[in-house]
Amino acid sequence: MSSSGSTYGDIHRYEPARESTAAAIGIVMLTLIEVVLVFFFVYSLVAGWAGTEFGNMFVGALLGLIFIDLAFILALYRKEFLPDVMIVKKRRRKWEDLYLESDQVDGVQLGGEQAWDTVKRAIYPYYKR
């Protein structure tokens, strides 16, 4: 990634969504199937179908189908109706993660008035002054 005028938070690439008609029709059809599956699931709970072993498996399968259908709806929506955006992020240098100043990159002299801070920093590198 080049740093030619890019600052933190700038949009590096923006491609608008395709918004195809076929995807919209697919989402509508999958939503209708979702509504039917949810209706059957709620009806099966109210009617007590889960009282038998087969009924319990059937209600579980209905719930699984509900989530699989919802996953297809969300995947299709994300692919066809959300824009593709890349945002520039600032890379930090390793010494910045230790809360060091730029003049401390090569280390600091042991001893002097900052001896206790140096000991604290050696034991706990994320110690703030």
Side-chain angles (χ1 to χ4, degrees), residues 55-110:
N56 196 10
M57 289 190 299
F58 180 73
V59 172
L62 275 176
L63 187 60
L65 287 173
I66 287 170
F67 284 116
I68 289 172
D69 190 35
L70 184 62
F72 277 111
I73 291 170
L74 293 175
L76 193 57
Y77 175 75
R78 229 179 93 197
K79 181 171 174 33
E80 298 291 333
F81 292 97
L82 290 180
D84 183 23
V85 179
M86 178 189 287
I87 297 176
V88 174
K89 297 200 176 187
K90 180 182 175 189
R91 264 186 104 151
R92 292 169 40 140
R93 293 179 285 277
K94 289 181 181 178
W95 57 267
E96 288 179 324
D97 290 335
L98 298 175
Y99 302 104
L100 298 176
E101 302 297 328
S102 59
D103 59 338
Q104 297 174 337
V105 174
D106 298 323
V108 293
Q109 185 177 3
L110 184 63

Side-chain angles (χ1 to χ4, degrees), residues 14 39 49 99:
Y14 181 86
F39 172 76
W49 290 359
Y99 302 104

